[in-house]
Amino acid sequence: MKSFFIIVFLLLCFVPSPAGAGDTGSAAVARLCNTAEACLPLAESGDIEAQLRLGLIHSMQHAAFLMSEDRLRTQNLQAEAEEARKSAESHGKEVLKWLEMAAKQGDVRAFAQLGRLYARGEMVIKDDSKAAAYYTKAARVGDWPSQHQLGEFYFTGRGVERNYLMAYAWLNCALKTSATQKGSGTASKRERMEYLLSVLSEELSAAQMADAQKLADAYILDYVALFQSIGKE
């Protein structure tokens, strides 16, 4: 799980930025920010790419200290393990801090990652309502995995009131947005979305289906076009 989180964070941090994101660009920041100390001035000045990269650096440290804690506890070195746990917690707070700063500037990657953190209870206390709120922000900026998760949330009533029409609309939107994507796990996620849509088509009446499709068409018009316009891959 720890290594999975790092991989996800890497993918999120280095996709192209939406319009209005940091001025330097991820390539320039990557050259300047290879340590937390190097990234800090840029991040504090408001550079989104630096904030995300600083979050990435702290995320890797968080995972490393958690693994050290596990190893130390198996060796019955409880005092050292507790120090490692505290260090992991400290780095986790830094991850949250920099993601929230990027989110305040409207960065879709920060929205999506914060949604995942709150949904999974990683580095934060699990909070489905906050997860749904961040997923909604990311979904409205065209992030298809967030659109998918939001559809799942509305389908089950997790963090939001259960609403099959909203579930249908967001799942349709995510399916359309992800149509040209070839990332790891995309095919299985699309199969999952198609399955849920088939379930919903059985649950909803003809009139409800018409309303759900109308809502889905509106979401696709607004959010798929936005996704394509910012050039995400």
Side-chain angles (χ1 to χ4, degrees), residues 96 108 110-122 124-139 143 145-154 158-160:
L96 190 64
V108 61
F111 291 151
Q113 187 60 20
L114 285 165
R116 291 182 179 91
L117 291 182
Y118 279 108
R120 296 171 180 164
E122 292 178 351
V124 294
I125 296 173
K126 186 176 180 182
D127 189 323
D128 288 339
S129 295
K130 285 186 177 180
Y134 278 117
Y135 278 144
T136 299
K137 290 180 179 181
D143 184 69
S146 295
Q147 293 169 350
H148 172 203
Q149 290 304 313
L150 200 53
E152 295 265 7
F153 274 35
Y154 277 110
R158 180 182 173 188
V160 292

Side-chain angles (χ1 to χ4, degrees), residues 213-232:
Q213 190 59 58
K214 187 180 297 184
L215 185 59
D217 290 343
Y219 280 12
I220 289 169
L221 182 63
D222 289 341
Y223 306 130
V224 175
L226 178 58
F227 175 93
Q228 293 170 341
S229 73
I230 65 176
K232 278 188 71 175

